Amino acid sequence: MQNLTAALAARKQQQLYRVRQTLQGAQGTQVRIDGRVYLSFCSNDYLGLASDPRLVEALKEGADRFGVGSGAAHLVSGHSYAHQALEDDLAAFTGRPRVLLFSTGYMANLGVISALVDRHGRVFEDRLNHASLVDAAALSRARLVRYPHNDMDRLREKLSRVSKGMRLVASDGIFSMDGDCAPVAELARLATGHGAWLLVDDAHGLGVLGEQGRGWFLDQLPAVPDNALLMATLGKGLGTFGAFVAGSEALIETLIQQARTFIYTTAPPPAIAWASRTALRLVREGDHLRARLRERVQYFRDGARELDLPLMASGTPIQPLLVGDAGAALRLSECLRAQGLLVTAIRPPTVPEGTARLRITLSAAHEAVQIDRLLETVAACLEGDSLAAR
Ligand SMILES: *Cc1c(COP(=O)(O)O)cnc(C)c1O
C-alpha cells in the first residue's frame, strides 16, 4: 500500500498541490471567499450568464414544472420534455440533424470516443487536447496517437500510415489552457480524406465565437460532413451545466445505443435543461455581449503589450500569461490574491512541464477599470518577484 501522506507532501514540495476555495455567493466578476470580495479572472462564464436573473427565473420555472431530480437514466424514465426541447433547440441552432445531451462535457467525450472506436482502432489527438479527450481514448482501449499542437503535416503523415480499423481524430476547437484555435476546416479535410471520424470539442467556442455564438467549429465548417462531430458544453459560455453532441441521425442513434456515459447515468435535472433553453436564446441574441467581450480581449492585450507581459498567441477570452516555472506561477497567483485578484496558476500535468502559466479569462461582464487593475497588479507582482529573486 502506498503512503498517501508522503505522496501528498511530495506534491506540495513540487508546488503542485491543489486546493479548492469556497465561493460564498454567486459566480461573477466579483466573488466572495472567506468574507473577502475578489475580482475574478478565472471563470469560464464568458458572457456573464451564470448568475443572470433571467436564467435564475427559468430554473425556478423549470423546477415548478418538472421538479428537481430526473429520477432515472434517459433510457429508463428520466428523459423529460425539458431535455427533448433543449435537444431540438440545439439541433436547430447548430443546423445539425440531431443532438444528444450528456450530463457533462467530460462524459460526452468519453461516451462518443468509446462508442465509435474499439481496441482495434486508433485515436489521433493534438498534444494539447483537454484531459477528457485523452481519457476517452484510454477508455476506448484504442491506440492513442498524438500529434504536435496544430501540426497538420504531422497528422497527415500519421493518418497515412494506417488504413485499417476505426480511426478518429479529436481536437479541442479552442485550446482550453492556451486560448488558440484548431484549424477545423483542415482537420475535416484530413479526416474525410483518410476515412476517419473527426470530433471537435468546442467547449470554449460555443456562445463566444461565430455568428449568433454558434462557436468555432460551425464558424469554420458551415457545411459539416457526416464524419465530423461537434461536442460542446453548456457550463461555460451558456452559463448553465451539461453538454451535447451534434451529428447525423445515425450517429446520434448509435450513441443512444452504445455511449455508456449516456446510458448508465441519471439524466440531469430537467430544470437545468429548461434554464439552458433560455441561455441559448440569450446567446443567440447576444451579439452585443460578444462585441463587448472582443473589446475587452483587445483592451487586455493592448495593455499587456504596453507592460511587456508574457502574452500568448490567443485571440479568444482565454488569455494566459506564460510564466514557465510552477513555483513562480503559484507565487504570482498568490501575490494577485493578496491584492484581491483571483487568477489561477495552471501547472503540470495540466500543461506541459516548464510551461506553467497564469490562466486569465475575460468576460463580457468585466469593466475596463477592472482590467486596468489586473494589468497593474500583475506587472507589480512580477516586478516584486524578480527583485526578490536577485
Ligand atoms: C471544460 C471542458 C470539458 C469538460 O466539460 P464539463 O462539462 O465541464 O465536464 C471538456 N473539454 C474542454 C475543452 C473543456 O474545456
Side-chain angles (χ1 to χ4, degrees):
M1 200 179 78
Q2 126 203 66
N3 185 337
L4 296 181
T5 314
L8 286 168
R11 187 178 270 269
K12 234 174 223 168
Q13 186 79 34
Q14 297 164 325
Q15 314 278 1
L16 297 177
Y17 205 75
R18 303 166 191 252
V19 291
R20 300 172 299 173
Q21 43 204 358
T22 306
L23 268 58
Q24 291 167 311
Q27 183 61 265
T29 55
Q30 314 218 47
V31 294
R32 184 182 288 274
I33 298 166
D34 284 338
R36 179 171 179 191
V37 175
Y38 292 87
L39 184 51
S40 167
F41 288 94
C42 54
S43 87
N44 301 310
D45 180 24
Y46 300 116
L47 300 179
L49 293 177
S51 308
D52 189 289
R54 291 164 293 185
L55 291 196
V56 174
E57 201 44 51
L59 184 72
K60 287 178 182 163
E61 186 190 297
D64 286 340
R65 270 182 79 164
F66 305 102
V68 177
S70 69
H74 282 281
L75 285 170
V76 181
S77 65
H79 188 65
S80 88
Y81 173 73
H83 298 121
Q84 188 56 50
L86 176 59
E87 286 184 353
D88 294 346
D89 287 357
L90 285 166
F93 179 65
T94 58
R96 301 297 295 135
R98 272 185 74 187
V99 156
L100 186 68
L101 291 179
F102 282 80
S103 298
T104 70
Y106 191 104
M107 292 167 76
N109 283 337
L110 293 191
V112 171
I113 294 186
S114 58
L116 293 181
V117 191
D118 64 16
R119 66 196 172 85
H120 305 294
R122 279 181 173 72
V123 178
F124 300 82
E125 297 207 16
D126 190 290
R127 273 256 167 241
L128 298 188
N129 271 358
H130 190 262
S132 56
L133 288 170
V134 180
D135 294 357
L139 183 66
S140 74
R141 298 196 290 160
R143 168 99 58 94
L144 174 61
V145 182
R146 305 197 79 178
Y147 58 90
H149 181 46
N150 277 348
D151 189 336
M152 295 298 104
D153 291 336
R154 290 296 297 282
L155 173 60
R156 183 183 307 109
E157 221 178 276
K158 288 172 184 286
L159 278 167
S160 311
R161 285 196 213 125
V162 197
S163 57
K164 286 203 299 261
M166 294 302 269
R167 278 148 289 158
L168 181 145
V169 177
S171 177
D172 282 22
I174 309 302
F175 288 87
S176 55
M177 297 300 139
D178 294 69
D180 61 341
C181 307
V184 171
E186 182 62 19
L187 281 167
R189 261 193 300 278
L190 284 178
T192 306
H194 290 87
W197 293 101
L198 171 66
L199 170 64
V200 174
D201 175 339
D202 213 2
H204 297 276
L206 192 81
V208 174
L209 300 170
E211 203 186 324
Q212 295 190 327
R214 287 200 188 86
W216 180 245
F217 175 88
L218 293 168
D219 187 60
Q220 297 295 301
L221 206 63
V224 185
D226 271 355
N227 63 316
L229 324 177
L230 163 66
M231 193 293 289
T233 64
L234 309 174
K236 289 169 178 158
L238 266 76
T240 58
F241 183 78
F244 69 89
V245 175
S248 69
E249 187 69 34
L251 171 88
I252 297 301
E253 277 305 318
T254 301
L255 294 180
I256 293 174
Q257 314 306 316
Q258 296 184 28
R260 296 169 67 86
T261 56
F262 171 80
I263 300 169
Y264 298 108
T265 196
T266 300
I272 296 283
W274 199 245
S276 293
R277 297 187 74 200
T278 299
L280 188 61
R281 180 172 59 74
L282 297 179
V283 157
R284 263 197 329 255
E285 298 167 355
D287 279 344
H288 59 294
L289 295 174
R290 281 179 290 276
R292 228 175 98 104
L293 184 53
R294 277 194 302 274
E295 259 174 49
R296 296 299 183 252
V297 170
Q298 196 53 52
Y299 188 82
F300 171 83
R301 288 187 68 84
D302 290 347
R305 224 175 265 120
E306 230 160 81
L307 290 166
D308 233 3
L309 300 181
L311 280 172
M312 289 176 66
S314 160
T316 68
I318 302 169
Q319 287 293 328
L321 294 177
L322 191 61
V323 178
D325 176 63
L330 202 59
R331 284 198 302 280
L332 181 52
S333 165
E334 277 163 4
C335 177
L336 289 169
R337 191 189 169 97
Q339 306 292 319
L341 290 157
L342 217 56
V343 191
T344 338
I346 306 285
R347 293 157 288 167
T350 307
V351 292
E353 206 63 51
T355 71
R357 65 200 64 179
L358 213 56
R359 183 175 181 268
I360 293 167
T361 50
L362 298 168
S363 151
H366 280 123
E367 300 293 343
V369 289
Q370 296 177 321
I371 295 174
D372 288 339
R373 195 173 140 209
L374 170 68
L375 289 166
E376 286 157 16
T377 317
V378 169
C381 284
L382 282 174
E383 172 80 13
D385 203 56
S386 74
L387 284 179
R390 258 178 226 162

